[in-house]
C-alpha cells in the first residue's frame, strides 16, 4: 500500500498532465486529481461510470508505471499540456475513506502559495495516517465460554487464566497470558478445550467529553479572560486572542473554558502543544475538567492509532484533539476553535520539506474556517505582541499566579567573579543554595540546554577534535551510552580508546559540560539525593518519560537536571530552586535575529517553574554577561522594558514582524557544484525596490549529512509580495544538472 503514496523524487519522472500509463478508456467526465508528490498541478482522469467523485474524495489512479492514491480537486490546478482525449486514463476506484473537507483544500492551496511548496507535498501532510488507506483488519482475541466444562486437566496456570477471563472481557492471547503469568500455549490449550473462544476485538471508542463536567472558580483577572474567550467562541466568526499570563497564572484552565464553549456548540476543538508527547499533566487536567481524554496526535502514536484518530476526526467522533503541529492538517469535520499553547515555542516551526510556522498557519486556518484562535504564552513572541498592539489580536493579560504565589526572585551569578571550582561547572553560591533546598525537603531544577556529556572531544596529545564525517560539527560525547553522536545527522560511533589521528591511547578529553556531566557532578556533591535526568536522548519511550515526570510531581525526586523539555509547561509543586548552568548559551548565535528573544523566553519559562505552589521560588542564573539586556530582563523581571527594546531594534532593522525574510538554501554532494548553483541563482535575481538579496555565502554549518550548503537571504519590507518576486525569479532559472537541491524557507527560524 505504501507504493500508492510514492516517493518525493517521483516528480522527476512524472508525465505531463493526463498522460499517466494505464488502460485506455472511452471519453467521460474529466476529474482533476492531485497526487501527494512534489508536483504543483492536478492531472485529468476519466470517470468511467459517468459519476464525478466529490472534491476531497480519495481515488486510486494509474500514475506512471504504478497505481497511486490521489485526491479529487475542485478544479484543475497548474499548467498542463493538452492531451488527446483518446489517451486519457480512468480512475481505478474511489476509496471508502472519509474525504478531505472543502476547507482543507482551500487551506492546502493557501499554504502552498505562501511557502512556495508544491501543492502535492502539502496534501501529503494531510494524508499522514497511511493505515487509513489500507484494508482494515479486525483484531481477534479470546473470551470465556460461559457454561463450558472445566478442561480435563485443570492446572494452576489454566485456573488463573479462566478466573481472569470470567469477567467476560475480550483480550488478546498475549494480554491474557501476561495477566495470568503463563505462556500463550496455555491459552491455546483452553481454546482447544472449548473453555475460551476466539472473538473480534471491538474498536476502542473515543471518550465522551462533558463541557459541564466540572465548574471552575476563577479570580477576577482569570474570569475577565474567560468571559472574553467565551464571547469569541459565541461570536461564531474569526478572531485571534493573545492569552498573555505569567507562569502559573492558570492559562490552561482559562482556555479550557473556550474549549467547553466550542463543545457545547457542537464544534470540534484543537489544542496544539509543542511537546504533547510529554505533557501528562495536561492530559490529567483535561480529564478532570471534561470527564474524558482528548484524542492525542503526535509522532509516538502507532500507525493503527494514527489511523483511528484520523478517521475519528474526519467523521466527527473525535471532539477535541491535543496534538503537535501536524495535528493542524487533520481532516476536521467541523472545527470551531484552535488553541496554540506556548505559542512562542520554536517547535511550531517545521524545517523539513514544507517549511511552515504552525502558529501562523493556525491563524490562517481560523480565518478560512471563520472561527476563533487562541494563542497562549507567558512569553509571547514579538510578532504576537506587535499584532496585539496594532489591534489585530485581542490582548488578554493575566498578571498574577492562579495560586496567589509570588513569582520567583531571580539573581545572577557573575562567573567572572564567582567561578566554579576547577573541573566543576556549578558555582559555589548555586551549590550552597542546592544544599539549603535539600535541607528543606524541596526540589531543585538545574537547566542546561545541551544534551550529552560534553559538546567536544579532543586529543590532549595532538589537539585533534573529533568531527562528524558527514557534517561540519563536532561529535557530542554521550558517556552514559559510551557513544559519540552527531546531533545534526545522527551519525554515531563508540568512544574510541585511542586518538583517531595520532593513535595515542587514553588521550581523549571531554571539553565543556552537557547535562550528563552536570549529573555526574551533582552525584559527587550530593550522593544521597535522588536525581532525574530529563533529556530526549536518555529516556527510551513516551510512557517512561511520562512516568518520570509523574515521579517528579509526587516529590519523589530531589534534583531534576534537564534540557529545554523541562520548560514545557510542567508543574512541579515542590520545586523551589532553579539553577541555569549556562545562561549565555543561546546568545552566542549572533546571526540569528531571534537569539535574544528566544533566550529570554527559555530562561523566563524555566525560572518560572519555581515556587508555583507552597514553596517560595528562587532562580540563580550563571552568566558571564549579567549586564546583557536579556539577563537584566530575567533578573529584574521587567519583561515589558525588554520587549520595548526588542521591538525598537526589529523596527529599526526592518526585521520580522516589520520586514520579511526568506532563506534560500542550495545543497549538493559536490562542494563546487553547490557554490556554482548558488552564485547562478544570485546572478539571476530580478532588480526590485525594497528587496535586498544577501549572499550567497557558505552556511554556518556548511556540511550536513554529506551535503555542502550555501545560503541566500532575501529581505523585504512587510507590504512587499515577496512570494511573487520569488516566483518570477525562479521561473527564469535554468535547469540545474546533477544532485542539487534548492530549498525555500519563508519566515526562517533556523539560520545555520
Amino acid at each position: 500500500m505504501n507504493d500508492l503514496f510514492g516517493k518525493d523524487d517521483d516528480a522527476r519522472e512524472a508525465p505531463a498532465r493526463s498522460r499517466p500509463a494505464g488502460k485506455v478508456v472511452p471519453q467521460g467526465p474529466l476529474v482533476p486529481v492531485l497526487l501527494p508528490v512534489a508536483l504543483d498541478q492536478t492531472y485529468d482522469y476519466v470517470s468511467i461510470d459517468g459519476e464525478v467523485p466529490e472534491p476531497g474524495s480519495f481515488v486510486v489512479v494509474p500514475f506512471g508505471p504504478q497505481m497511486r492514491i490521489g485526491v479529487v480537486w475542485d478544479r484543475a490546478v497548474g499548467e498542463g499540456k493538452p492531451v488527446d482525449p483518446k489517451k486519457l486514463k480512468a480512475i481505478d476506484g474511489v476509496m471508502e475513506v472519509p474525504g478531505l473537507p472543502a476547507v482543507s483544500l482551500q487551506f492546502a492551496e493557501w499554504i502552498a502559495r505562501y511557502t512556495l511548496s508544491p501543492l502535492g507535498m502539502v496534501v501529503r501532510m494531510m494524508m499522514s495516517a497511511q493505515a487509513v488507506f489500507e484494508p482494515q483488519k479486525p483484531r481477534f482475541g479470546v473470551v470465556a465460554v460461559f457454561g463450558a466444562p472445566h478442561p480435563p486437566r485443570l492446572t494452576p496456570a489454566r485456573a488463573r487464566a479462566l478466573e481472569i477471563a470470567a469477567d467476560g472481557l475480550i483480550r488478546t492471547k498475549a494480554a491474557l497470558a501476561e495477566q495470568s503469568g503463563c505462556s500463550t500455549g496455555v491459552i491455546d490449550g483452553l481454546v482447544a478445550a472449548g473453555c475460551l473462544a476466539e472473538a473480534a476485538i471491538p474498536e476502542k471508542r473515543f471518550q465522551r467529553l462533558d463541557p459541564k463536567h466540572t465548574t471552575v472558580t476563577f479570580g477576577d483577572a482569570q474570569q475577565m479572560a474567560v468571559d472574553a474567550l467565551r464571547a469569541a467562541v459565541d461570536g461564531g466568526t474569526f478572531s485571534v486572542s493573545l492569552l498573555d499570563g505569567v507562569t502559573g497564572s492558570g492559562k490552561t484552565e482559562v482556555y479550557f473554558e473556550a474549549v467547553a464553549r466550542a463543545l457545547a456548540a457542537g464544534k470540534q476543538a484543537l489544542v496544539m502543544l509543542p511537546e504533547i508527547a510529554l505533557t501528562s499533566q495536561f492530559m490529567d487536567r483535561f480529564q478532570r475538567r471534561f470527564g474524558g481524554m482528548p484524542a492525542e496526535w503526535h509522532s509516538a502514536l502507532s500507525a493503527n492509532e494514527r489511523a483511528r484518530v484520523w478517521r475519528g476526526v474526519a467523521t466527527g467522533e473525535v471532539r477535541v484533539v491535543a496534538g503537535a503541529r501536524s495535528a493542524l492538517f487533520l481532516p476536521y469535520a467541523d472545527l470551531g476553535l484552535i488553541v496554540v499553547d506556548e505559542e512562542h515555542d520554536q517547535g511550531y516551526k517545521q524545517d523539513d520539506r514544507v517549511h511552515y510556522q504552525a502558529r501562523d498557519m493556525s491563524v490562517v486556518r481560523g480565518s478560512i474556517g471563520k472561527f476563533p484562535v487562541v494563542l497562549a504564552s507567558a512569553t509571547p513572541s514579538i510578532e504576537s505582541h506587535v499584532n496585539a498592539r496594532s489591534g489585530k489580536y485581542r490582548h488578554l493579560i493575566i498578571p498574577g499566579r492562579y495560586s496567589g504565589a509570588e513569582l520567583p526572585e531571580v539573581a545572577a551569578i557573575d562567573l567572572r567573579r564567582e567561578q566554579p571550582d576547577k573541573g566543576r561547572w556549578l558555582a559555589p553560591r548555586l551549590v550552597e543554595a542546592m544544599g539549603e533546598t535539600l535541607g528543606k525537603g524541596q526540589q531543585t531544577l538545574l537547566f542546561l540546554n545541551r544534551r550529552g556529556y560534553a559538546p567536544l572531544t579532543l586529543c590532549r596529545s595532538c589537539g585533534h577534535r573529533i568531527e562528524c564525517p558527514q557534517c561540519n560539527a563536532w561529535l557530542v560525547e554521550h558517556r552514559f551510552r559510551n557513544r559519540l553522536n552527531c546531533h545534526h545527522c545522527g551519525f554515531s560511533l563508540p568512544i574510541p580508546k585511542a586518538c583517531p589521528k595520532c593513535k595515542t591511547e587514553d588521550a581523549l578529553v571531554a571539553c565543556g559540560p552537557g547535562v550528563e556531566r552536570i549529573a555526574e557532578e551533582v552525584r559527587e556533591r550530593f550522593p544521597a539525593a535522588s536525581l532525574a535526568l530529563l533529556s530526549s536522548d536518555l529516556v527510551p519511550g513516551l510512557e517512561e518519560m511520562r512516568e518520570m515526570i509523574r515521579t517528579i510531581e509526587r516529590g519523589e525526586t530531589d534534583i531534576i537536571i534537564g534540557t529545554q523539555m523541562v520548560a514545557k509547561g510542567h508543574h512541579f509543586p515542590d520545586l523551589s530552586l532553579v539553577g541555569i548552568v549556562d545562561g549565555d548559551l543561546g546568545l552566542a548565535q549572533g546571526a540569528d535575529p531571534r537569539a535574544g528573544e528566544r533566550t529570554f523566553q527559555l530562561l523566563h519559562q524555566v525560572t518560572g517553574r519555581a515556587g508555583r505552589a507552597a514553596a517560595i521560588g528562587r532562580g540563580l542564573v550563571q552568566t558571564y554577561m549579567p549586564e546583557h539586556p536579556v539577563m537584566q530582563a530575567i533578573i529584574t523581571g521587567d519583561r515589558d522594558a525588554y520587549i520595548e527594546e526588542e521591538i525598537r531594534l526589529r523596527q529599526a532593522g526592518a526585521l520580522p514582524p516589520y520586514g520579511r525574510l526568506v532563506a534560500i538554501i542550495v545543497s549538493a554532494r559536490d562542494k563546487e557544484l553547490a557554490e556554482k548553483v548558488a552564485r547562478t541563482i544570485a546572478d539571476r535575481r530580478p532588480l526590485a525596490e525594497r528587496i535586498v538579496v544577501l549572499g550567497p555565502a557558505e552556511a554556518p554549518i556548511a556540511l550536513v549529512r554529506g551535503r555542502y550548503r550555501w545560503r541566500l537571504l532575501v529581505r523585504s519590507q512587510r507590504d512587499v509580495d515577496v512570494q511573487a518576486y520569488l516566483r518570477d525569479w525562479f521561473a527564469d532559472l535554468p535547469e540545474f544538472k546533477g544532485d542539487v537541491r534548492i530549498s525555500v524557507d519563508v519566515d526562517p527560524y533556523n539560520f545555520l
Side-chain angles (χ1 to χ4, degrees), residues 312-341:
V313 168
T315 61
E317 184 184 356
V318 168
R319 306 311 300 164
V320 178
V321 174
R325 62 178 181 244
S326 58
L328 188 60
F329 300 97
L330 292 171
Y332 296 93
D334 192 11
L335 187 59
L337 174 70
I338 295 178
V339 177
V340 184
D341 202 357

Side-chain angles (χ1 to χ4, degrees), residues 8-16 39 43 63-65 68:
D8 295 344
D9 58 1
D10 288 333
R12 302 173 189 167
E13 303 176 0
L39 293 169
Y43 291 84
F63 189 72
R68 296 286 175 83

